[in-house]
């Protein structure tokens, strides 16, 4: 018996096994490994393209999101501007209405003052005429004679001048 046994012994069985493995390797390489390798390369290419497309889609989505956010911000600021413009216009209209009302009030006051002056003038005129006729009557009573119209006018004018110089108390 042998004490030691070689780990690897070269025999025909081993040689046929090695040749079978090599032939099998070339057959698999030709029919299977190339196709698997091509499939893997193609799959890697598809995955890479899918990732690139997904990245492009994400970038486009981000751009659209930014655009929409800008539009929303623009719409918000635009609505604020519209409201501000409406408020300003309302203030201007209110100011115009107030100015118009003030102008009408001034015109009404001025008209009333003119009316009062005219009424005052008419009242003084009537008073002067009444005073003149009363003065003539008094003078006639005192003198007991009738005055001529020229004398009458002179006396009336004199009384009126005195009445104007000395206001009624």
């Amino acid at each position: 018996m042998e004490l030691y046994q070689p780990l690897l012994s070269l025999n025909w069985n081993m040689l046929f096994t090695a040749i079978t493995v090599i032939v099998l390797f070339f057959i698999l390489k030709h029919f299977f490994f190339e196709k698997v390798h091509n499939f893997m390369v193609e799959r890697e290419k598809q995955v890479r393209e899918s990732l690139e497309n997904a990245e492009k889609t994400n970038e486009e989505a981000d751009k659209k999101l930014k655009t929409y956010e800008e539009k929303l911000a623009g719409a918000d600021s635009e609505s604020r501007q519209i409201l501000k413009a409406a408020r300003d216009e309302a203030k201007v209209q209110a100011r115009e209405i107030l100015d118009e009302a003030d102008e009408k009030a001034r015109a009404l006051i001025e008209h009333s003052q003119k009316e009062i002056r005219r009424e005052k003038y008419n009242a003084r005129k009537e008073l002067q005429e009444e005073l003149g006729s009363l003065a003539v009557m008094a003078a006639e009573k005192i003198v007991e004679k009738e005055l001529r119209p020229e004398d009458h006018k002179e006396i009336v004018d004199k009384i009126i001048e005195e009445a104007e110089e000395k206001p009624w108390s």
Side-chain angles (χ1 to χ4, degrees):
M1 207 162 134
E2 288 182 35
L3 280 174
Y4 95 93
Q5 195 175 32
L7 290 175
L8 182 61
S9 60
L10 197 54
N11 58 17
W12 287 104
N13 209 8
M14 180 79 138
L15 183 64
F16 284 122
T17 305
I19 291 174
T20 307
V21 167
I22 291 173
V23 169
L24 184 62
F25 173 77
F26 283 118
I27 289 172
L28 287 176
K29 182 179 180 202
H30 179 59
F31 290 110
F32 184 68
F33 289 144
E34 287 293 321
K35 289 182 181 180
V36 169
H37 181 264
N38 289 340
F39 173 77
M40 295 298 282
V41 168
E42 189 64 33
R43 180 70 180 144
E44 182 181 350
K45 184 179 168 185
Q46 287 176 353
V47 168
R48 204 173 275 132
E49 286 176 1
S50 295
L51 289 175
E52 288 173 1
N53 286 339
E55 196 172 307
K56 286 179 185 177
T57 305
N58 282 341
E59 288 175 6
E60 288 176 12
D62 287 341
K63 286 179 184 177
K64 285 182 180 181
L65 179 64
K66 286 179 184 177
T67 304
Y68 291 137
E69 287 175 351
E70 289 172 1
K71 285 181 180 179
L72 285 174
D76 188 38
S77 65
E78 186 177 334
S79 67
R80 286 185 190 143
Q81 288 175 348
I82 290 171
L83 285 173
K84 184 178 184 267
R87 281 190 207 118
D88 292 344
E89 188 175 330
K91 285 180 184 178
V92 167
Q93 287 178 351
R95 210 172 296 126
E96 287 175 359
I97 291 170
L98 287 174
D99 290 345
E100 187 178 319
D102 285 344
E103 188 64 34
K104 285 181 180 179
R106 275 192 217 106
L108 188 60
I109 289 171
E110 190 176 303
H111 177 70
S112 298
Q113 287 175 343
K114 284 180 183 178
E115 193 70 29
I116 289 170
R117 284 193 293 264
R118 187 166 29 97
E119 290 295 323
K120 214 177 192 183
Y121 175 76
N122 289 340
R124 278 190 181 170
K125 197 171 187 181
E126 285 179 23
L127 186 61
Q128 286 174 354
E129 289 174 3
E130 289 282 327
L131 191 59
S133 63
L134 282 175
V136 168
M137 279 201 231
E140 281 180 356
K141 294 263 183 195
I142 293 174
V143 177
E144 298 233 333
K145 69 173 189 173
E146 204 170 301
L147 296 174
R148 294 183 320 211
E150 296 86 26
D151 294 336
H152 175 264
K153 181 162 176 48
E154 185 180 319
I155 291 171
V156 169
D157 288 341
K158 189 175 182 183
I159 292 172
I160 289 173
E161 284 177 21
E162 287 177 10
E164 284 180 354
E165 289 174 4
K166 297 178 188 177
W168 295 77
S169 45

